[in-house]
Structures are given as structure tokens and as C-alpha cells.
Amino acid sequence: MSTGMIFDIIEFAVHDGPGIRKTVFFKGCPLRCNWCHNPESQSFEKEVMVIKGRRSDCGMKYEATALAEELLKGKEILEKSRGGITISGGEPLAQPAFLLELIEALKPVHIALDTSGYAPNRIFKSVTEGVDLVLFDIKHTDPVVHKRVTGVDNRLILENLEYLCSTDKEFYVRIPLIPGINDTMKNMEKIAELIKGARGLTKVDILPYHKTAGAKYPMIGKKYKPLFDIDRSPKVYLEPFKKYNIRSEVM
Amino acid sequence: MTKRIEAMLDDILNKRHHKYRQHIDSAVFTQFTRELFLKGLSDTERSVKRLAFVLELEKPVVFPEEKIAFMRTVPKIPEIFTDKEWSDIKAKHFIHEQGKVCNISPNYGRTIKLGLDARREEVIQYLETAEDGEVRQFYRSVLDTIDIVLSFVDRYAQEARRVGNTEVAEILNRVPRYGAVTFNEALQSFRVLHYILWASFNYHNTIGRFDQYMFPYLKADLDSGHLNYDQAFELLEEFFLTFNRDSDLYPGIQQGDNGQSMVLGGVDSEGKDASNILTEMCLKASLEMNLIDPKINLRVNKDTGQEMFELGTRLTKQGLGFPQYSNDDIVIPGLVEKGYSLEDARNYVVAACWEFIIPGVGMDIPNIGALAYADIVDKTLRYALEESKSFDGFMDRVKDEIFSWADIETNKFGNIYMEPSPMMSLLMDGCISSGKDISHGSRYNNYGLHGTGISTAADSLAAIKRYIFEEKLLTAEELIKAIDANYVGYEDILQKLKYEAPKMGNDDDYVDDIAKELMETFAKALVGKTNERGGCYRAGTGSAMFYVWHAKDLGATPDGRRKGEFLSANYAPSLNAKTKGPVSIIRSFAKPDLIKTINGGPLTLEIHDTVFKGEDSISKVATFVKHFMDMGGHQLQINSVNRDKLLDAQKNPDMYKNLIVRVWGWSGYFVELDKEYQDHIIQRVELSI
């Protein structure tokens, strides 16, 4: 029996896959995206959060079966709406044993995995085989920029994306659109190139940067240091996706 | 929306029609009241004279482009009693609100169909055989009222001709004198009757099951080709506009609290789904008009299709705070249990806010009082907590206190008096045949009591159970001291009570079961109690304005709420509680047996407007609504909100003139509300999901 660390559960998530969903957020992430709006998702350890002067613990340790039980409470509405459970983070793939156990315990409810794709291919493969839908985040196709703004190289991510495109597994691509970082025509064109023709691809969700992203940093004693102008709205280019008949939606 | 409607809407939004309002010195009204007094007239005679006086003062205004006329220019309706007379009446009688017939649902359909001439014949026949002096006076008052109305309609018809609007002139020559034949006539006839009710100082005049009694006229016009769909829709939109012309003149606690509730959908007298094309048209018209009136209520049941929930959700998305949904499968059996006939129960509507009443035959007063659950807990803990050996023992004392409260409360409403209303009597069933003014009652004369602060009370009791009886973290004495100190110097305790204790709205039986027990007790405490009119008492889940009133009198509470902090409006989690989310909320709030507490009062939820982004959000929220009903929910109202927008609107009211919010049982313009109501809404929204 493995245990894992999560930091939140959101009910009635309507933007994380089909139907009404419950989304669980794993705590801990190998990436350090400069714009991350959930800085408490980065560390794998419990942290203290101070909200309006009140200290509270951030991070809950769970056994996989107990977490599944919590997530499945009230599952009727998830089923009725053809929704399910979305596993997000942090990076769920960074707690693989716990994740695999959780997935087994959640079945047969529809499961979506929201991932950065940053994990060894062996793990990516075994996990994606067990879920119904993958929400695959793509930040940047350029390895140098990627390293600079997320702290890691994008080689593993692109390999896993390539693998995903070769399967029949249903997936959405999700692009957090950050002004001055990745909101270029060129980046969109390259992403479109990578995913065109993928059998399992349903759509591309564009998630424009929101100004309030920095709000949580002081709560965990961190400083928000954006490398970009937070007041500028990101540019939206959908043409590259239209070109390949890929459905795209700005969220 | 057609250009014509667009222009009319623009006039209303910019209040251009207000320029026709007359400036009448208030001395004119007091003088009129004084004359009534000096003439020594009966209350019935005075009511008739008042209507005549108001309508004589009125100056008909007809716009050349309109198809449905009638607009108020007299800003005020005078009293029929002087201040001195009123205080004498109040010394002898229980007076509900303003002492007028209000908050009921007239049977417009019958008079629209028959016309006032036929109704006059009916009254004359009864008058001919009546012997009792009072009864004869009542019939004469109704006949006089009909004459006053018809001569006023004639003046309107003349004005219509004068401005060249022959269409309206011709319609007014026919209705409401004769039964309506076309959809346009039926709408105009309604408009006249509704207008006259307000001019008679009746208020919270609800609209009722509009899609039922208006459907035959629409259908006839569509079938005969007299109107096509677009023309009918345009007329309907114009009709919706009329509810916003005079509404700022109507009495209410706050602007917007005017009771113009329209009920759509629901089952027919046989229990079959009765929604029709007009149901759908009304939802669409409300969506296009984006106005606070009429306030849309949608009756749903297990057979209501997903499309109807989706149409409703489109309205919710728009931020109007309606539709308010009610569940036939719970409300109808609940009303039957309270003694309503099955056929009447199936015809239920809502009063001004959400109380369930029966059109035509209900003279219920569904908002006559309110149980403040949190007060009961506070009172009981002061004398019984220390000596209670177990939580169950303490809970029994709380229940006893509710029973004692019910004994006292239900004795408060003796010798009730209301001003008579010949006009309303004409529109209610049975008044003419019985020769009795509606102010003396009807088939149903039940009184309803709201229940406020259920979540605050349940959370308080859960905290007591856990920290006093189970964990023994503090004693009864310490808790009382902390409450009395408003938690000053007891911050550690406050933290525990406020943030760590179980809260209603998290699908946690620990606290939800307590709420369930409290509500059951409230209902039980009223069983067998009758009022002086032979009616029963109904327990409810609404708050009306009591959530503001009760909160002011109440000190700090054991759930970690400090003195002065608001209670939640209606049936909702405490404003103090961070819940897991809307799914847990509906699961918690569907647990009590809501059939027993069927006076009305919706579960009220705030959902952040970002939820509505994305193409499929409508069907998701619609499913959510349906799910609450499937679990046994009785009534639900969802607000789509954005806190930043509300804060900005407080700072820059001029930029948000048309920002609409839901208050308790009605929607209003945010910037026109008093600040305490604005603040309450902002606090509610902070917990939005």
C-alpha cells in the first residue's frame, strides 16, 4: 500500500475534461514553471500556508484506497454528467506507485490525467494505459527556452508526446499561454506540427495567463518573480491548429 | 430583438418614461385620507374611493409604437386610514406588514377569458339574492370597482386614439370589458388587471402560471396564422418590458423586492408535464431582455428534460439570479401533507419570493414570522448546557425550546386585520360566490414561518458536540464566556470553532444530521397548530430579510461567528464555512426531509462566472441542478457571480447601473441596494466556487 501527498481536491471542476469532475491535485513537481499559479504544488513536502493571517497546513498524506474513497464520495453526479475524476498536480507522474494504485482503485469511473509529460517513458506509458483521457500540457517546443522558463529540458516531454500521438489514447493538449514567453505564432505552429494527425487528439485548450497567478507566493513565504510583463494580455494564435483541422478552444 | 423592442428597452433602462411621472404634493394624499375619515365611510367604501381617486389623478400615456399600454404616472397610493386610525387598529389587531392584501396569486385567467362585463353580470346575480347588509355592500364595491376600471380604460382608449395608436385603441375597446380572443388582447387585459391591483394598494402581486393561462391565446393565434412565432415573441418581449415600467413605485424592503414572480412549467391537474411552447418562449424572452422583472421560476419534476434545465442555465449564466427552480416531486406531496387538495397542490406557484401558494384560492400568509434557529441554540445553551450530561441530552433541550417557541409564536397573530380589496376579491375564486372580501380569507388560510440560520445553528451544535462532549476541550462555562466576550481573548478557541469544527455543506453526516433533526423538530412543533382562520402553520427554509434582522440581535455563536457577522440568506451554508464545493453542498442540503418543511426557501448557491466559460458548461450546470432535484431537493437558486466586479461596482456605481444580483427572493440592481445588502452579497461571493 503506497501513500502519496496531495494538496487539494476541487469538486465541480468543469474545465478539466468531459462532464462534471472532481480534480485532485498531487503535491510535488519536478518543473518550476516561472508563471506557476500554484506554488504550493511544487514541493513534495508539507508546507505552512498563511492566508489572511491564519496559518494552515498545506499537504495531505493519503493511502491510495482512502483517497479513492474520498474522491468517489458523491460520484453519482460525475457519472450522470459523463464526467469523472481528474488527477492533476503538481506532477502526478512524480508519485508513480501511488498514482497507479489510485487509478486501479478509482475504476471504473472515467479518469483523466493532467500532466506536464515530464517522466520516464516507462512510467508515462504504464500510467496512460490505465486512464481514459490525458490532458497533456505543452509549454514550449524550444528546449533552451523550456529549460529557462520551467527549469527542465523538454526532451522527455516531447518523447512522451510523440508516444501519445502514436497511440489511440484520447488526449487534449493544454497550452498555458504566457505573454512574451510562449505566445508566438512560431511556437503554436511547432506544437501543431507535433500533434497533427494524432488519432487520439480531441482538441487543444488554450489557457491564457491570469494576472492573479502570483497571489499564493507570499502565502508560502516565496517571492513571485515573473520573467514577463504580467499586465500584457497574451497573444492568441489559433490559425496553426485550424490549418490541420484541430479543434481549439480558449478557456 | 426587434428594433422596436430595442428602443423601448433603451427608454426603460434610461428611465426616460419617468418624465411622465406627476409631481403631486403629499398634502393632496393626506387630505384625501382625511376626507375619507371625516365622511365616516366603511373600509370597503374607502377602498373603492381610493381606487377612483388614484385613477382620476392618473394621466393616460400611450406611446405611438406600443402594443400593450398602461403606465403609472401617479407616484404614490394614499392610505385609507389616517395615522391615528391606523394606530387604533394596530392596538386591537395583528397587522401583517402594511395591512394590505398582498403576496398572493390572483386568478387572472378567468377574468381575461370572460371579460369584466360578464364578471359584472355574475356579481349582479349574487347581489340580487343577497340579504346581508355587509355582503350587499361588498357586491356593490365590486360593481363600482368594475365601473371605475372600465371608465379608466375608456380614457386610455381615447388617449390611444389621440396619439394615433388605433391598434391599442381598438384593443382597449374590447378588453378587459369582453373576454380576450387574441394573444395581444390577453396580454393587454392582464396588464390592465395587474395595474389596477397595484393602484388598489395591493402589493407583491405575483403573475402566477403565465404559460398555462396564456397558452390558449397564443396557440389560437399561431394556429390561425394571426401571428407567426416571431410576432408572438416580439409581443411577449414587450409584455415583459411592462413589468419594469412602474416597478420602482411598488412597495418593498429594497428596490427590486416587488414580487412580480412568474411561474413556468410544472405539471397539470392530472400530474402530467404541462410545459409548452410558451414556457420556452418566456425563458428566451427573459434571456434577451436581461431585466429583473418578471422574476422567473421554473417548476421541474422527474420528467423535465435536459433542454429545459439548459434553457434555465442560460439565464443563470447571464447573472440575473434566476430562474429559481422548484421541484414538483417534493413540493406537491409536501403541500398535500399540509392539507391542500392534490389538484390545488399541482397548481402551486410561488409568492413574491419562493413561498409556495395556490393561485386563486390561497390567502395564505407564508411569511408571517420566522424561527431563528441560532437564537434557539444560544438561549438553550445558557440554561441547559452545563447540566446536560450528553450531547443528545442537550439536543433534547434544544428541541424543547423550539416547541416552546412555536407555542408562543403561533399565538402572536390573533385578530388579524387587512384592508379589504374589492379588485383582488374579483380576481380570487370564491369571493363572489361567498360574498366575502378576500381580506377575510379564502380556501386556504395557512400561515408560514421562515427558518433562518439553520447552518449557523447546526454548525454551532456540531462544535458543542465535538469540543464539549467528545473532546472535552472546553467546558460549557468557558464556551459561554468566550461567546459573551465575542471571542476577544479567546482567539485559539475561535480558530478551532471556526476552522476545524464540522460545517454543514461538506456532506458530513456529523453536522448534517443535526440540521436534519432541527428542521424535523421545527415541522413537528407546528403540527396540529391552527390559526384563527382555521389554517395550519407551515415550516419553511427561507430567510427573507430576517437574515439581516436576526443577525443584528444575535451575539457571537459557538460556530466561531462573531457578533455582527451575517447569517446566510435562505437555505445555505454559513458564510463562515469554507465548504468542499457545490456537490457537497447539494448533498448536505438534500438530506433533510424537505417535504416536511415546504413553506419554501431555496438552497442558494454562488458559482463563479468563470465556471460558465466553455461551450459545454451549460449542460454541466444543468445536470448539477437536476441532480439536486433527483436527490430530493425542493428549491434551488444559483447565482453566477464575480467578486471583483461587485467590489468595483461599489466604487464606481455609475459604471454598473445594470448589474443585477440576487438578494433573497428576488433580483435587483446592485448599485441601488443599501450597503449592508451589498456587503452581504460580496461576502457570500467570497465563498463562491
Side-chain angles (χ1 to χ4, degrees), chain B residues 309-328:
Chain B
F309 285 102
E310 290 189 8
L311 268 175
T313 303
R314 282 185 202 285
L315 269 180
T316 303
K317 175 182 180 176
Q318 190 150 294
L320 288 166
F322 50 72
Q324 176 168 264
Y325 298 90
S326 57
N327 186 358
D328 288 359

Side-chain angles (χ1 to χ4, degrees), chain A residues 9-20 52 54 70 73-77 80-81 247 249 251, chain B residues 495 499 506-507 580-584 586-587 607 610-611 613-615 620-621 623-624 627 630 686 689:
Chain A
I9 297 172
I10 289 190
E11 285 183 354
F12 204 65
V14 293
H15 302 312
D16 295 338
I20 297 169
K52 286 187 182 169
R54 208 183 83 83
E70 172 71 27
K73 206 174 169 192
K75 67 173 174 173
E76 297 80 6
I77 192 170
K80 210 180 270 184
S81 66
R247 205 177 113 204
E249 197 176 335
M251 304 295 274
Chain B
Q495 292 287 311
Y499 297 104
N506 284 313
D507 191 13
K580 287 184 193 167
V583 179
S584 292
I586 59 172
R587 288 173 63 85
I607 292 184
T610 50
V611 164
K613 279 189 193 165
E615 295 157 20
K620 292 180 187 181
V621 176
T623 304
F624 173 76
H627 190 57
D630 290 346
E686 280 175 359
I689 298 115

Side-chain angles (χ1 to χ4, degrees), chain B residues 239-265:
Chain B
F239 178 71
F240 273 30
L241 276 175
T242 63
F243 290 98
N244 298 275
R245 276 183 175 164
D246 313 327
S247 48
D248 58 311
L249 301 174
Y250 301 160
I253 298 265
Q254 292 276 297
Q255 191 64 256
D257 169 26
N258 59 45
Q260 299 187 99
S261 316
M262 176 180 276
V263 177
L264 303 172

